[in-house]
Amino acid sequence: MTDDPPLNPALLPAGFVDVLPPAAEAEASGLETLMRVFATHGYDRVSPPLLEFEETMLTGSGAAVAEQTFRLMDPDTRRMMALRPDMTPQIARIAATRLAHEPRPLRLSYAGACVMMGGPARDTDRQILQAGIELIGPDTPVADAEIVALGAEALQVLGVPHVSFDLTMPPLTTALLATEGLTPTARSALLRALDRKDAAAVARHGGALAPVLTELLHAAGPAHRALDVLSRVSLPDAARVHSDRLAATVAAIEKRVPGIRLTVDPVEFRGWQYHTGVCVSVYALGRQEELGRGGRYRSNDDEPACGLTLRPDVILRVAPPRARRMRVFVPWGMDPRVGQALRAQGYATVAALGEIADPAAEAHRLGCAFVAVGGKLEPVQGAAQAG
Amino acid sequence: MTDDPPLNPALLPAGFVDVLPPAAEAEASGLETLMRVFATHGYDRVSPPLLEFEETMLTGSGAAVAEQTFRLMDPDTRRMMALRPDMTPQIARIAATRLAHEPRPLRLSYAGACVMMGGPARDTDRQILQAGIELIGPDTPVADAEIVALGAEALQVLGVPHVSFDLTMPPLTTALLATEGLTPTARSALLRALDRKDAAAVARHGGALAPVLTELLHAAGPAHRALDVLSRVSLPDAARVHSDRLAATVAAIEKRVPGIRLTVDPVEFRGWQYHTGVCVSVYALGRQEELGRGGRYRSNDDEPACGLTLRPDVILRVAPPRARRMRVFVPWGMDPRVGQALRAQGYATVAALGEIADPAAEAHRLGCAFVAVGGKLEPVQGAAQAG
């Protein structure tokens, strides 16, 4: 990697990577496992294209990511196309157009790569993998709970330990701040203070809201403690609606997934640009990076919707490694049925492409754990014989 | 679809489509089936990014598709990136850089979406799916045969009927034409005539080569007839080498896949820009569109390689439809173990999100074949109960 970049054929743009063996297969297999869980719950897969006209992709829920989006010109129509930074707006578009006449609730799933411009930090992924679900039509705590429950089940099937679902209710903060006649300057100072969880600044900029906001700021944590604080503080009706909905959603989630680890941060709002209800971030305990996120929003044509997008690429970093196929070297001239039988048993066969003087040495060189000898497997010295 | 295009949110750029249920799941599942066949033969999956610097992507074997490639600027380095139109050059790059020290033969597999500019014809796909293999290192008929054999096995597993592998040997024509001192004008007139299979024009422009070329032109068809003609015509040594290799490859393929349907077109060369040996196009009998293509080439650093790229999107149009999961409506309040048991049996459960007065009617509305009643399944009137 010391060559001048233009001459180094291994150089990729920052944020783009080659996924190599065995990670590439683990990632693909993990993604399909997530999709299988979604399919068993009646979520039908759709697959939108990588590129769309920017006017359709970057409107509605897509507007939030417009500035993160690569654009290129369609030579056919001379109109600009966008390379998708997120699939959710595409699913919303499909639900509102091609699937507008399908019965509701409409349950859709999707998976694919997304690309975003990224910031100047060179360590941010610019190509990510998404695998998600959208539940379009109902606007109820039970619908919110189904989304969270499917995320929990999918992560459990992959064996991800210590998963936590962190709930927020962005419109609650919005409603609370709207009750005070804050100037735009004061409002943005207060939002910044909340965003930084800076209690002193919240007290300074909060005016009459300072006591409630400070209490809610400190309430973030396990769901029941946070809901308890929320139930005790004095909230205007416009905010109480959201607080009640949050409590009902927590109850619906816990009913569907007993023992789920839920936290609530009542005044968190950052990163939830187009959301209108309960939002969720998924974490593995002790890990910084989100495994997924989702929440309630208004889909195209103002239809209620909620969804969850998991990140198979991130999840595979915290999930236990899968057993790889054991490799068996099959010497030249072996009856083809030997290889067939081995593959049917789950082995990967590596066929000799000609006579090999020392099959065991060749097997070792090619990373095989066994050599097929007649109908038997001979272990290769020094190779791991367990997956 | 009668709105003015800029206002119609359902409009996609020509050549890009939303894949809807059930096609999207069938496509993904078919792709993973192909990849599983490749994995059982020791082909390790790699996953290169959608974008690379154009100088790395569009050199070597990538140069052939340069003019079909969308480019965009990396705001980070101000250098141009290319949106991949083909994954093979990426695999060649990985083999020559990050996997340069892995033992040969190096067997790699890959799958993903590619995007190309396409021509003015509005009916061409501009986003396609690829799933392929590359066998890097050996340059032998047996290596060529393994690639074809794996393609045949993968298509057989998907149940694609009447598959034909059409072999060509592009360097044979090149070598043949090089023996005559043709002017560039005469050479390109002759190539055009061969390309169009225009026997009269071949006779007119072929000079001393006209008799041999005419005979080879008519030899295209079942492999043995074509090889028979090739063995009888008089060929210069430089062309005979390629003819012998083609015959040896046919023999190796037939040994590995008895009964395979092979054709040979000895003077076909079009569309094989960077190939140096036997090439193959895969068809289903009676269908125009290729299911895949591949062949022998020189990878980066001039390393011998051969590969095959299948097109899961095209294959799914000719493969028999897969049975879909049967959908079962699960009324509100049902013991969660009922749904679990149904999903474990392969059903998709569609959960009620609240009390429903008439579960059978709701099940019918949502496309379910059954309603779960206690531990039993009640068929829904008018729904298909077989997958």
Side-chain angles (χ1 to χ4, degrees), chain A residues 19 40 47 104 349 351 365, chain B residues 19 40 47 50 104 107 349 365:
Chain A
V19 188
T40 62
S47 180
R104 268 51 176 169
T349 56
R365 195 179 72 83
Chain B
V19 188
T40 62
S47 180
L50 287 166
R104 267 52 176 168
R107 289 170 163 100
T349 57
R365 195 180 70 82

Side-chain angles (χ1 to χ4, degrees), chain A residues 325 330 336-351, chain B residues 36-42 150 153 256:
Chain A
R325 281 174 206 277
V330 180
R337 286 170 296 184
V338 171
Q340 276 165 28
L342 289 168
R343 290 189 292 276
Q345 289 166 54
Y347 291 99
T349 56
V350 176
Chain B
R36 193 159 49 246
V37 170
F38 301 155
T40 62
H41 285 273
L150 261 64
E153 181 178 335
R256 183 140 175 188

Side-chain angles (χ1 to χ4, degrees), chain B residues 259-344:
Chain B
I260 190 171
R261 192 189 310 257
L262 289 181
T263 71
V264 165
D265 187 338
V267 287
E268 174 73 42
F269 60 89
R270 192 164 71 137
W272 303 107
Q273 293 98 331
Y274 58 86
H275 292 82
T276 58
V278 174
C279 292
V280 59
S281 303
V282 191
Y283 290 94
L285 215 69
R287 295 277 186 156
Q288 284 256 312
E289 213 173 352
E290 275 182 5
L291 307 185
R293 56 160 46 207
R296 175 158 294 285
Y297 61 99
R298 291 280 167 170
S299 183
N300 301 21
D301 298 335
D302 209 32
E303 192 174 13
C306 58
L308 180 72
T309 305
L310 295 177
R311 289 280 308 277
D313 42 0
V314 179
I315 291 168
L316 265 288
R317 289 175 215 151
V318 299
R322 290 167 57 252
R324 295 183 69 179
R325 281 174 205 278
M326 297 301 290
R327 295 160 75 92
V328 180
F329 184 71
V330 179
W332 182 245
M334 184 75 65
D335 184 328
R337 285 169 297 185
V338 171
Q340 276 165 28
L342 288 168
R343 289 188 292 276

Side-chain angles (χ1 to χ4, degrees), chain A residues 265-288:
Chain A
D265 187 338
V267 287
E268 173 73 42
F269 58 89
R270 192 166 69 138
W272 303 107
Q273 293 98 330
Y274 57 87
H275 293 81
T276 58
V278 175
C279 293
V280 60
S281 303
V282 191
Y283 289 95
L285 215 69
R287 294 278 187 157
Q288 285 256 311

